[in-house]
Amino acid sequence: MADVAEKTKKSPGKFFSDVSKEMKKVTWPKRKEVVKYTTVVISTVVVMAIFFWAVDLGISKLVELILG
């Protein structure tokens, strides 16, 4: 196993050169896509927060009712 690690070691310069080459191959999302995805994530978080708030409130009231 150590032999594999030794064979795949690269100098820092070669590593960053390879990273640069790979980053040029990446297809980055357009601004419109990023805004759309961000809106979806924020909306989902807000909806889930409201849902869990309501569930927490319901459980609290139920426990309060039971314990009197």
Side-chain angles (χ1 to χ4, degrees), residues 4 12-14 18-20 23 25-26 29 31-33 35 47 51-52 54-55 57 59 61 63-65:
V4 173
K14 175 70 172 145
D18 289 347
V19 168
S20 179
M23 292 300 283
K25 296 177 184 178
V26 173
R31 180 177 174 83
K32 188 175 180 181
E33 291 174 319
V35 169
V47 167
F51 170 76
F52 284 115
V55 169
L57 183 65
I59 291 172
K61 293 295 182 184
V63 168
E64 193 176 292
L65 183 67

Side-chain angles (χ1 to χ4, degrees), residues 17-66:
S17 173
D18 289 347
V19 168
S20 179
K21 288 177 188 173
E22 289 299 318
M23 292 300 283
K24 289 177 183 173
K25 296 177 184 178
V26 173
T27 304
W28 296 100
K30 305 292 183 228
R31 180 177 174 83
K32 188 175 180 181
E33 291 174 319
V34 172
V35 169
K36 184 168 75 171
Y37 297 151
T38 302
T39 303
V40 168
V41 168
I42 291 172
S43 301
T44 303
V45 168
V46 168
V47 167
M48 294 304 293
I50 291 170
F51 170 76
F52 284 115
W53 170 78
V55 169
D56 181 54
L57 183 65
I59 291 172
S60 296
K61 293 295 182 184
L62 184 62
V63 168
E64 193 176 292
L65 183 67
I66 292 171

